[in-house]
Amino acid sequence: LLFCGVGALIPALPLYGKYIGLGDTVTGVVISAPAVAMLLLNYSAGRSSDTYGRKPNIVGGMLGIAAADAVTAMATSLPVIIIARLALGAGRAYAEAGERAFLTDLTARVPGNRGRIVGAYQAVVAVGFVVGPKIGGVLVENYGPASPFGAVALASGIAAVGYAWLIPETLGNADLPSSASMSRGSSAGSWTKLLRQPSQRAIAAAALANGIGRVAKVVAVPLFATDVLGASPDELGTLFSLWSLGGLVAVGSSGLVVDRLKNVSSDPADAARIVICLSQLGSAAGFFLAVQTHSLQSFAFATGLWSIGFGAAAPALETFTQSRAPPSATAEALALPKSIGDLVFIIGPASLGFANTLVPGGGMLVSAFVSVAASVAFWISSGGGTMGGSSTSGVSSSSSSSDPSET
C-alpha cells in the first residue's frame, strides 16, 4: 500500500506543480524534498524503532504520511507544499524503519527461508510501483491533479488504523532471535562504528551501486532513449513497463535463488553475496551494451538485462543486510543502506545529467563503472560476520567474536 501510494504520486506531483503555477526547477525541489527529510531522519527513525518498538514507528509513520498528503492535496502555495513534502519524508523514514526491522524480526524465525520471504516482500513493493503510476494517472485524468494525494492520504490513514489493531510488536519477543535484549549505547549504536565492520562497508558499497542504478533509470536511460535513439513518449512508456516487468520477475526469483544456494557455504549469507555480485555485474553489462546500441529494439534488450540485474540485487542485499545487522541496533543498521540510497537520489540526478552532456550515454557508463567497482569491493569486504563471526540470523555468538566488548 505504501509503495503503491508512492508510485501513484509519480505522475501527479509534476502536474500538480504546474497546476498551482510552479516552474520546472521549483517542482524538482518539491519532488526531492522527501528524500532530504528521509536522509536526515533515517538514523533517528532506526534508533526509535530499536528503542520504542517497530509498531509505534509503523503506525506513527503512516499517520504522518496520511497527514502530509492531505495537506499537499489542499495546498496552494510553495511554502506549504514544501513543508508537507518534508513531513511526508519524515513519515516515510519512520514507517520504513519500522517495517524493515519488523520484517527482519519475522524472518529470523525461519532463517533458512529468509531469501524467499524477502524476495516476496520486494516483489510486492515492485508491484506497487507498477500499479501505482497507472492508478495515479487515472485519478489525475478523471478527478484532477490533487486527487491522488487525497486518495493516498485516505488509504494511509486506514492502513495505520489496521496496523494499530492487527500487527503484533516484535521487539523484545523472546521467540524472535533478531530482537534480542537491547543493549543501549553499544558499539553498534552509530553508523560510524558500524562502518568499522567490513561487512557493513560492503553493504554501503552495494547500496551505493543500487542507488546510482535507480537514478540512472529515471535520468540517464530516458535521456539516451529520447535524445540519441529518438524514442517517442509512448515508446519510452513501453520501455518503462518492460523494465518494471523484468525487475518484478528478477525480484521474485532472487530470493528463491539465495535460498537454493545457501548450502554452498557454512555461512548462508554467502549465497546472498554471490547473487549480489552477479546481479550488479549483470546490470553493468546491460548498461555497457546499451550505450553501443543504435536501435530501440537492441536498446530494449540491453536495458532489459540491466533491469533484471538491478531487480535481483535488491532482495539479495536486503537478505545480506538482515543477516549482518547487530541485534542491539537492528533498525539502525538497516537504515544505513537506505540513507545511502537517499543521498544518491539527491545528488545523483545532476551528476548523471552532467555526465550525459559530456558523452552520449555518459550517465549509464558512470552507473556501470560504479556497479563493477562496488561488486568487487563488496565481495572483498563482505566475508566477515556481523561482529567478527558468521551469523545466519543477525545474531553472533560470543564465542565467534574476536572482540568481547563488541559481543
Side-chain angles (χ1 to χ4, degrees):
L1 180 62
L2 173 62
F3 286 97
C4 187
V6 173
L9 299 182
I10 291 175
L13 195 53
L15 295 175
Y16 189 54
K18 293 181 179 180
Y19 176 71
I20 64 173
L22 301 181
D24 291 343
T25 301
V26 177
T27 299
V29 172
V30 172
I31 291 174
S32 65
V36 174
M38 286 189 286
L39 176 64
L40 295 175
L41 293 174
N42 280 335
Y43 177 79
S44 60
R47 192 169 185 83
S48 171
S49 181
D50 285 332
T51 304
Y52 303 109
R54 319 316 191 191
K55 188 172 179 177
N57 264 39
I58 297 174
V59 175
M62 292 300 289
L63 288 174
I65 292 170
D69 280 325
V71 172
T72 303
M74 297 181 290
T76 57
S77 65
L78 178 60
V80 175
I81 290 179
I82 290 181
I83 292 173
R85 302 324 286 169
L86 289 171
L88 172 72
R92 282 191 58 189
Y94 279 85
E96 291 178 27
E99 57 88 1
R100 284 193 303 271
F102 187 89
L103 180 66
T104 301
D105 294 338
L106 296 181
T107 57
R109 287 178 169 176
V110 282
N113 292 324
R114 190 193 299 267
R116 69 187 67 187
I117 294 172
V118 172
Y121 166 77
Q122 293 281 354
V124 171
V125 171
V127 168
F129 277 113
V130 172
V131 176
K134 180 63 176 178
I135 295 175
V138 170
L139 289 173
V140 169
E141 185 174 344
N142 290 280
Y143 302 104
S147 60
F149 300 99
V152 172
L154 178 61
S156 298
I158 293 173
V161 174
Y163 288 142
W165 282 97
L166 298 176
I167 68 171
E169 176 56 64
T170 58
L171 180 66
N173 189 326
D175 294 332
L176 300 171
S178 70
S179 295
S181 297
M182 299 291 290
S183 176
R184 307 289 191 267
S186 68
S187 63
S190 73
W191 287 347
T192 301
K193 293 179 180 178
L194 278 174
L195 288 172
R196 293 174 186 171
Q197 303 170 21
S199 62
Q200 297 297 327
R201 292 196 295 272
I203 291 168
L208 173 65
N210 280 9
I212 288 289
R214 182 162 63 105
V215 173
K217 178 181 179 180
V218 298
V219 177
V221 178
L223 285 176
F224 187 88
T226 55
D227 295 347
V228 178
L229 301 178
S232 66
D234 182 59
E235 289 170 329
L236 190 59
T238 301
L239 286 174
F240 267 97
S241 297
L242 291 174
W243 298 332
S244 297
L245 290 175
L248 180 59
V249 172
V251 162
S253 303
S254 177
L256 294 174
V257 173
V258 168
D259 287 340
R260 291 289 178 88
L261 291 177
K262 66 179 181 292
N263 295 323
V264 302
S265 170
S266 58
D267 182 3
D270 279 340
R273 294 175 65 212
I274 295 171
V275 173
I276 290 169
C277 290
L278 291 179
S279 298
Q280 292 187 338
L281 291 174
S283 64
F287 274 161
F288 281 129
L289 290 174
V291 297
Q292 309 298 324
T293 59
H294 302 285
S295 68
L296 278 177
Q297 290 78 10
S298 56
F299 183 75
F301 174 81
T303 52
L305 175 61
W306 162 80
S307 70
I308 292 173
F310 180 75
L317 178 59
E318 181 74 11
T319 299
F320 185 86
T321 303
Q322 288 183 7
S323 71
R324 294 296 188 252
S328 61
T330 300
E332 292 175 38
L334 294 174
L336 175 59
K338 175 67 169 57
S339 292
I340 292 172
D342 291 335
L343 177 61
V344 171
F345 196 77
I346 293 171
I347 65 176
S351 301
L352 295 191
F354 177 71
N356 262 25
T357 64
L358 299 177
V359 180
M364 289 189 290
L365 289 175
V366 169
S367 179
F369 281 118
V370 170
S371 293
V372 171
S375 65
V376 174
F378 179 85
W379 185 260
I380 293 173
S381 301
S382 61
T386 307
M387 292 173 281
S390 297
S391 173
T392 60
S393 62
V395 181
S396 296
S397 64
S398 300
S399 61
S400 65
S401 174
S402 57
D403 186 343
S405 66
E406 287 188 341
T407 304

